[in-house]
């Protein structure tokens, strides 16, 4: 049930952009055990000056292909799982979309089951945890 926001510039070719949701989904499936069909992505293409990243921060060599991946997910993944996720997203972004690993920034935000509603105004994970009451 992760929710993913991917931000790129509007100068990035649409073919590259369209690969990114699948790249992140496949990396999450391979590294943090998300279920099949659990794909919720908002892809944003920003105009000039709307996506700002220092080109050399932390020793990177960022280009116009800078890609910010922000994943909101439930708590519980190990550091090793998260590191595998970072590596897999960077690898697949380069392999499938030609985006260099230096251009891929990933941020994880964790929360709990009470922080998700998939529709109908219900926190489905909370409802699923309630014990059944017999009549």
């Amino acid at each position: 049930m992760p929710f993913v926001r991917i931000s790129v510039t509007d100068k990035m070719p649409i073919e590259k952009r369209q690969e990114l949701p699948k790249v992140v989904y496949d990396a999450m499936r391979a590294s943090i055990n998300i279920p099949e069909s659990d794909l919720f992505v908002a892809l944003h293409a920003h105009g000039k000056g709307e996506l700002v990243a220092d080109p050399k921060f932390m020793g990177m060599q960022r280009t116009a292909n800078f890609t910010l991946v922000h994943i909101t997910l439930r708590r519980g993944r190990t550091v090793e799982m998260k590191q595998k996720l970072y590596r897999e997203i960077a690898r697949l972004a380069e392999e499938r979309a030609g985006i260099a690993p230096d251009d891929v920034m990933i941020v994880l935000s964790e929360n709990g089951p009470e922080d998700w509603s998939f529709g109908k105004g219900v926190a489905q994970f909370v409802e699923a945890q309630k014990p059944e009451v017999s009549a």
Side-chain angles (χ1 to χ4, degrees):
M1 91 280 15
F3 174 66
V4 179
R5 288 186 184 276
I6 302 171
S7 296
V8 298
T9 70
D10 61 3
K11 300 290 185 212
M12 181 181 283
I14 191 72
E15 301 78 28
K16 285 184 185 233
R17 284 187 235 168
Q18 290 175 334
E19 285 296 321
L20 293 171
K22 183 78 167 121
V23 159
V24 175
Y25 173 74
D26 288 347
M28 290 189 305
R29 294 269 300 141
S31 59
I32 62 169
N33 302 323
I34 66 159
E36 188 174 345
S37 301
D38 195 350
L39 178 61
F40 298 93
V41 178
L43 178 60
H44 304 276
H46 299 274
K48 185 176 181 175
E50 295 177 342
L51 181 61
V52 179
D54 185 284
K56 297 181 190 263
F57 185 73
M58 298 296 285
M60 301 303 134
Q61 298 297 315
R62 292 183 184 88
T63 70
N65 283 326
F66 175 70
T67 302
L68 175 60
V69 178
H70 183 187
I71 304 171
T72 303
L73 68 166
R74 287 178 55 189
R75 287 179 215 88
R77 275 56 177 217
T78 65
V79 170
E80 293 78 16
M81 292 170 82
K82 292 174 185 179
Q83 290 175 322
K84 182 178 179 183
L85 173 64
Y86 304 148
R87 286 189 303 271
E88 193 66 4
I89 290 172
R91 183 184 74 77
L92 292 175
E94 184 172 41
E95 180 180 291
R96 297 183 188 172
I99 298 170
D102 277 13
D103 279 322
V104 180
M105 179 176 170
I106 304 160
V107 177
L108 300 183
S109 296
E110 296 179 305
N111 60 23
E114 69 278 6
D115 299 313
W116 296 88
S117 173
F118 292 92
K120 299 184 180 183
V122 174
Q124 284 82 2
F125 293 126
V126 172
E127 294 295 316
Q129 294 175 3
K130 287 183 178 177
E132 289 190 32
V133 179
S134 15

